Amino acid sequence: MSKTDRPDRKELRTFGISLGVVCLIWAGILWWRGHLGAIPWLLGVSPILVLVGLVAPIALYPLHRVWMPVAKGIARALTWLLLTLTFYLVFTPYGVVMRLRGRDPLHRRFEPDRESYWESREDAPFDPDRLSKQY
């Protein structure tokens, strides 16, 4: 976030309410797991955040300014981690199994005695109006 890109009141209000709700959920999880140490602190901070978010959201600007770069860094790291895990745990084994079975659904295999790699379509004739409605 640049210095001139200040969040508006609505964004700060949403930030305060969301952070208050997250504190309540966190307190509930800690209570459920039996870790009672931080629960009073979280239950005290949660309504304060919600109240400040509703009444004077501009007061949450310093907290927002500190938290958002941290949140963006966490989001980038988790996105990279989840996409990497998905690729190596889902798509790579699937591709290996497809190769072992000899399947080539994209017809990428080189065939030296083939005249052309052009795939003819058996669809209806080309209609230019379809290009304006691609989706």
Side-chain angles (χ1 to χ4, degrees):
M1 182 165 62
S2 69
K3 294 184 189 275
T4 60
D5 188 23
R6 291 184 64 124
D8 60 349
R9 289 179 60 87
K10 182 179 178 187
E11 185 177 345
L12 289 171
R13 182 176 292 119
T14 304
F15 174 71
I17 293 170
S18 300
L19 206 54
V21 169
V22 166
C23 285
L24 277 178
I25 292 170
W26 192 12
I29 291 170
L30 289 176
W31 175 77
W32 180 60
R33 299 196 64 193
H35 304 290
L36 305 178
I39 292 177
W41 183 81
L42 289 170
L43 290 177
V45 168
S46 176
I48 293 171
L49 286 169
V50 171
L51 187 64
V52 170
L54 291 173
V55 175
I58 198 70
L60 293 172
Y61 176 69
L63 183 61
H64 184 272
R65 196 170 127 204
V66 170
W67 174 247
M68 290 314 288
V70 173
K72 287 180 183 179
I74 292 170
R76 288 185 83 177
L78 283 177
T79 300
W80 179 86
L81 177 70
L82 290 175
L83 287 175
T84 301
L85 287 174
T86 301
F87 180 78
Y88 285 109
L89 296 178
V90 175
F91 294 113
T92 300
Y94 183 74
V96 169
V97 168
M98 293 278 283
R99 285 182 186 220
L100 290 175
R101 293 181 64 202
R103 295 224 30 226
D104 185 21
L106 297 178
H107 308 291
R108 297 183 317 161
R109 207 171 277 132
F110 179 68
E111 299 172 23
D113 52 337
R114 189 171 176 178
E115 286 184 30
S116 170
Y117 287 97
W118 183 265
E119 296 283 334
S120 61
R121 295 179 53 173
E122 305 297 326
D123 298 10
F126 176 71
D127 180 18
D129 291 334
R130 277 188 4 196
L131 296 178
S132 63
K133 300 176 186 175
Q134 294 182 21
Y135 301 101

